[in-house]
Amino acid sequence: ALAKRHGSPVTCAVIGISYYSIYVDSYGYDFAMEVLRGLADVIQNYVREEDTVARLGDSEIGILLSHSTEKGAHA
């Protein structure tokens, strides 16, 4: 809503974790959750303060990049 109100671009990036079910089956759900938390922490350290990092599903992390075009998201 904020991007729409101000007419600014917004980009959503989704990162899928390959072999997530293998981590769960081999090491357990708690271990797999720690892997996701660790990855989210690393991502959070590399995005801007106004960006949002969130878990989308069992094996996906989403990043909402405020004021960013697709080209800016790639950078």
Side-chain angles (χ1 to χ4, degrees):
L2 184 62
K4 186 176 182 179
R5 182 171 50 237
H6 293 285
S8 62
V10 64
T11 301
C12 180
V14 178
I15 299 172
I17 312 303
S18 298
Y19 309 111
Y20 178 79
S21 61
I22 293 173
Y23 294 128
V24 173
D25 294 343
S26 299
Y27 303 105
Y29 183 75
D30 290 338
F31 175 81
M33 287 300 302
E34 287 301 315
V35 169
L36 283 176
R37 282 187 193 104
L39 181 57
D41 288 343
V42 168
I43 293 168
Q44 190 67 53
N45 287 327
Y46 284 93
V47 297
R48 303 165 301 175
E49 188 175 322
E50 64 266 20
D51 298 332
T52 302
V53 178
R55 182 177 181 192
L56 298 179
D58 279 346
S59 61
E60 296 175 329
I61 294 176
I63 308 168
L64 191 61
L65 301 159
S66 303
H67 308 287
S68 182
T69 61
E70 183 179 353
K71 185 176 180 181
H74 280 276

